[in-house]
Amino acid sequence: MASHVTDHHHQNTNELTPSVVILPNYTLVNPNLVPVRYVVNPAAIAQLEVNRSINLQQLMKDEGLVPSAEEERKRNDVIRKLKEIVFKWIKSVASLRRLPQNNIRAASATILTYGSYGLGVYNAESDIDALCVGPWFATLTEDFFIGLHNMLANRVEVSDIHCVKDAKVPLMRFKFEGISIDLPYAQLQVTTVPENVDILNPLFLHGIDETSWKSLSGVRANNSILQLVPNAKIFQELLRCVKHWAKRRGVYGNLFGFFGGVHLAVLAAFVCQSNPNVSLAGLVTIFFKTFALWPWPTPIILQQGMMVPPRHHETRSLMPIQLPSSPHEYCHSNVTTSTFMKIIQEFRRGYRLTQDLFKFDWRNLFEPYPYSKNYQQFLKLCLSASNQDDLGDWIGWVKSRFPGLLQKLEEFHAFYDPNPAEYSDTTIQDPNVVFYWGIVPGLSNILFDLNSVQREFKKYLGTGSKGVKGKISLSVIPASQLPKNLQLVDNPHVHSSPTQMIPVYTNPVPYYTVGYLTPEHPGSGHMS
C-alpha cells in the first residue's frame, strides 16, 4: 500500500509536494470496518489542501463560472441605467399624484440586486435578480405594471418584456442589453428611498403589505448571509462550486423539488460560519460530509452573532432551511420523498469522492449525472403551443405547477428523478419543450394510471391560468428513446453503484484511521 501511494505521488507532483509517510496497519476491528493507519506529516496535508484549492479555483475559471472584467462592467452598467430609469419614473409618478413640490423633489426609488448576482456568484450566462423599491405613493398595479412597464418598453435597450402578475412574487421579466432581468416591486411607507436602502432596518419595513414583504425576502436573505459569513470571498467560491455541482448532478431547481439558489447559499454559509479558517478545498469536503450525515428534518439555522435561534422544526418540509433574515421564516421548499432521496444520494456521492486525499480529481465531482445509465424508463412530458411566444408563457405556467404533479405521482407510488433540463422533440411540428424524468427502479409502481394523472394535472393547470394556453402530454418511454445528447456515458473513473464502499474518516492529522463501511454494516444507513 505504501508503494502504491508513493507511485501515485510521483505521477501527480502538482497535487502533493511534501513527503507523506504511510504505515499500514491491517488490524481487523470488525467484519465490516477495516481500518488503515496513516502517519501523515501535517505540513503535507496543509500543502495538499492548498494545491487542491488552487486546482478547484482553476477548474471554476476553465468552466466559465468566474465572470470576466468585461462581464462585470456590463452588468454594473445595466444596474446603473436601471437606477436612472426608476429615478425618473418615481419623479413622474410624484408629479402625477400632484404631491407638494418639496415631496416631488425628495421622491426617490432604487434598484437592489439579490440572487446569484447580489451574492457575487454569477457568470456570463446568469440573469440578474433585481428589486425595484419605491415609496408609499407608487402602486404595484398601476404605477409599476403600467407606468414603469411602458417606460422600459420604450427603451431601445429593452426587449421581450412581459408582466408576471399571478406569481407568488409578481414581477416584470425582460432583457436589458441582452441580459435577462427579473424585476419584482416592493412599496415602502416612506417618501424617499435611499439608493442603498438598508432593508434589514425595521424602520423601513413598518407597515408594508404582504406582497412587498415577499418581494423583499430575497434581498434581505442575501444581505443577512453576507453579514454572517466570516469571509465573503471564500463563501462566494464555495457557493460557486456547490451550485455547479448541483446543476451538473441534476439537483438544482426549486420547481422540480430540488434546491434553489437561496437554499444552497444558506447551506454554504452554514459551513463557512462553522469553519472560519478552512481552505476552499477543505470547505467543499466539509460541505458534503456535513449534509450527507445531517439528521434531516432537523433544520439548518445560521447563527445570528453569538445567539442561536430556538430550533423550530418546519414540519412541512423534509429539508427545512431557515431564512437567515427571519427566525420564523423558512426557504420555500418543494422537496418530496423522491427528490429527497436523490439529493441525499448526491450528498453521499460527494462525501465519498472528496474523502480521498491522494487519488482525487475535481472533475469527477462535477461529472454530469448519467440519467440514461441509471434509469430504464422515463416519464416524458411534452409541452407545445401554436407559436413561440405562447410556448414561453405556457412553459412558465406548467413549471410553476410541477410541484403539484410531483406530489400526485407519489400518491400513485411512482418515484421519479425529475431532470430539470429542457429538450425539444423535432418530430412535433409545433414549438415544444420536453422533459424526461427518470422512474426509480425497484421503488415505483410502473403500472400506475398515467391517464388519471394526466387528467387531474390538466384540470389543475386550468385553475387560474387566465388565458395561458398550450398542450401537454405525458407518456412513459424506455431509455433507448431518449435524445442522443441525454444518453450519457458513465465516467469509467467514477463508480457510483449502490454497493460502493463508503469511506469513514476519524481524527484528521497527524494520525487518522481510514476504513470502509460496507452497505451491510448497521452504521452505514442508506449511504449508497
Side-chain angles (χ1 to χ4, degrees):
M1 180 176 292
S3 61
H4 173 74
V5 177
T6 302
D7 291 341
H8 180 79
H9 163 59
H10 286 311
Q11 293 170 4
N12 298 277
T13 54
N14 63 321
E15 291 289 337
L16 181 62
T17 304
S19 61
V20 179
V21 181
I22 303 172
L23 303 178
N25 182 339
Y26 299 106
T27 305
L28 189 64
V29 177
N30 63 52
N32 293 303
L33 181 60
V34 183
V36 181
R37 185 79 161 176
Y38 289 150
V39 180
V40 182
N41 180 352
I45 295 296
Q47 185 60 47
L48 179 62
E49 287 298 298
V50 170
N51 290 343
R52 280 171 37 128
S53 296
I54 292 172
N55 291 340
L56 180 54
Q57 290 165 337
Q58 186 59 51
L59 178 62
M60 292 299 102
K61 290 180 181 178
D62 294 344
E63 292 283 347
L65 301 177
V66 180
S68 64
E70 175 62 22
E71 287 292 341
E72 189 171 353
R73 183 199 60 76
K74 185 177 180 181
R75 279 165 171 73
N76 287 341
D77 284 347
V78 167
I79 296 302
R80 178 181 55 79
K81 290 178 181 179
L82 279 176
K83 285 184 176 182
E84 292 172 356
I85 292 170
V86 300
F87 188 76
K88 292 177 182 177
W89 163 71
I90 207 61
K91 293 293 187 185
S92 67
V93 175
S95 297
L96 188 66
R97 294 282 182 269
R98 296 184 178 179
L99 298 183
Q101 282 301 316
N102 60 328
N103 285 357
I104 295 176
R105 284 193 297 270
S108 63
T110 193
I111 294 289
L112 301 176
T113 58
Y114 62 104
S116 60
Y117 181 79
L119 287 174
V121 292
Y122 66 96
N123 57 45
E125 305 301 321
S126 302
D127 59 6
I128 295 179
D129 292 305
L131 173 68
C132 178
V133 186
W136 65 270
F137 56 84
T139 64
L140 172 70
T141 305
E142 184 177 345
D143 299 311
F144 180 76
F145 276 132
I146 297 177
L148 183 57
H149 171 273
N150 291 341
M151 285 186 69
L152 288 168
N154 289 327
R155 299 279 300 215
V156 295
E157 307 98 325
V158 174
S159 61
D160 301 335
I161 186 168
H162 62 280
C163 300
V164 186
K165 299 180 181 180
D166 298 321
K168 290 181 180 178
V169 178
L171 53 82
M172 278 192 284
R173 182 167 289 152
F174 54 92
K175 290 184 178 180
F176 197 104
E177 294 182 349
I179 298 175
S180 297
I181 310 284
D182 278 359
L183 187 71
Y185 179 65
Q187 184 180 11
L188 305 186
Q189 297 305 306
V190 298
T191 301
T192 301
V193 179
E195 182 179 1
N196 294 311
V197 56
D198 179 12
I199 47 79
L200 294 179
N201 186 335
L203 291 175
F204 287 107
L205 303 178
H206 178 70
I208 68 172
D209 59 80
E210 184 179 354
T211 299
S212 294
W213 179 262
K214 289 178 180 178
S215 298
L216 285 165
S217 65
V219 179
R220 296 178 70 240
N222 267 33
N223 291 2
S224 297
I225 288 170
L226 292 174
Q227 287 183 12
L228 290 170
V229 294
N231 183 318
K233 183 176 184 296
I234 200 165
F235 159 73
Q236 291 166 338
E237 290 181 336
L238 174 62
L239 181 54
R240 188 175 284 119
C241 296
V242 166
K243 285 186 72 172
H244 186 49
W245 160 80
K247 290 177 179 180
R248 283 290 182 89
R249 300 303 296 176
V251 290
Y252 189 84
N254 191 35
L255 293 177
F256 295 84
F258 296 118
F259 290 131
V262 67
H263 303 92
L264 293 177
V266 175
L267 296 185
F270 182 84
V271 170
C272 289
Q273 194 177 55
S274 306
N275 304 274
N277 300 309
V278 177
S279 68
L280 174 61
L283 287 173
V284 173
T285 301
I286 294 169
F287 177 89
F288 287 108
K289 180 177 181 180
T290 298
F291 300 117
L293 305 178
W294 190 261
W296 305 103
T298 301
I300 301 296
I301 300 176
L302 291 182
Q303 293 182 10
Q304 309 286 334
M306 297 302 294
M307 298 294 294
V308 181
R311 289 195 174 270
H312 170 72
H313 285 263
E314 172 64 288
T315 55
R316 294 171 299 168
S317 176
L318 294 170
M319 308 183 89
I321 300 172
Q322 189 188 70
L323 276 171
S325 49
S326 172
H328 307 296
E329 290 185 277
Y330 285 76
C331 303
H332 178 71
S333 173
N334 292 313
V335 173
T336 69
T337 301
S338 296
T339 56
F340 176 81
M341 291 190 296
K342 170 72 179 289
I343 292 169
I344 293 300
Q345 171 191 327
E346 289 304 317
F347 274 145
R348 290 170 175 171
R349 174 184 177 273
Y351 175 44
R352 289 195 301 267
L353 292 176
T354 54
Q355 291 302 305
D356 191 339
L357 293 176
F358 302 104
K359 300 179 185 177
F360 181 76
D361 188 333
W362 287 115
R363 290 170 296 183
N364 291 343
L365 181 65
F366 303 112
E367 190 72 22
Y369 188 81
Y371 288 96
S372 63
K373 298 296 180 180
N374 286 0
Y375 305 111
Q376 298 174 347
Q377 290 187 305
F378 288 79
L379 179 65
K380 177 182 177 180
L381 299 91
C382 181
L383 313 182
S384 61
S386 56
N387 59 70
Q388 200 65 42
D389 289 339
D390 288 346
L391 179 64
D393 292 339
W394 179 236
I395 294 169
W397 178 252
V398 175
K399 286 171 69 174
S400 73
R401 297 302 192 262
F402 271 169
L405 175 59
L406 304 182
Q407 292 172 1
K408 177 57 63 178
L409 286 168
E410 285 193 359
E411 290 176 13
F412 282 83
H413 302 287
F415 295 91
Y416 49 84
D417 178 358
N419 178 7
E422 300 179 1
Y423 301 87
S424 180
D425 189 338
T426 55
T427 65
I428 299 175
Q429 188 172 6
D430 288 339
N432 68 87
V433 162
V434 181
F435 297 91
Y436 297 94
W437 295 358
I439 300 176
V440 180
L443 294 178
S444 298
N445 172 20
I446 315 176
L447 302 177
F448 68 93
D449 188 353
L450 186 59
N451 289 331
S452 176
V453 172
Q454 182 164 283
R455 279 195 306 271
E456 292 195 33
F457 187 54
K458 284 183 177 180
K459 189 185 302 181
Y460 178 46
L461 288 174
T463 306
S465 61
K466 295 187 178 179
V468 180
K469 293 182 179 180
K471 298 177 183 178
I472 180 170
S473 65
L474 278 64
S475 59
V476 174
I477 64 167
S480 59
Q481 292 183 17
L482 291 173
K484 294 299 181 183
N485 55 343
L486 187 51
Q487 296 186 19
L488 303 175
V489 178
D490 279 322
N491 181 349
H493 303 296
V494 182
H495 307 287
S496 57
S497 65
T499 57
Q500 183 175 7
M501 303 176 78
I502 306 113
V504 178
Y505 285 63
T506 61
N507 302 329
V509 290
Y511 302 96
Y512 68 104
T513 299
V514 184
Y516 287 93
L517 289 175
T518 64
E520 293 76 23
H521 188 272
S524 65
H526 297 285
M527 295 282 285
S528 60

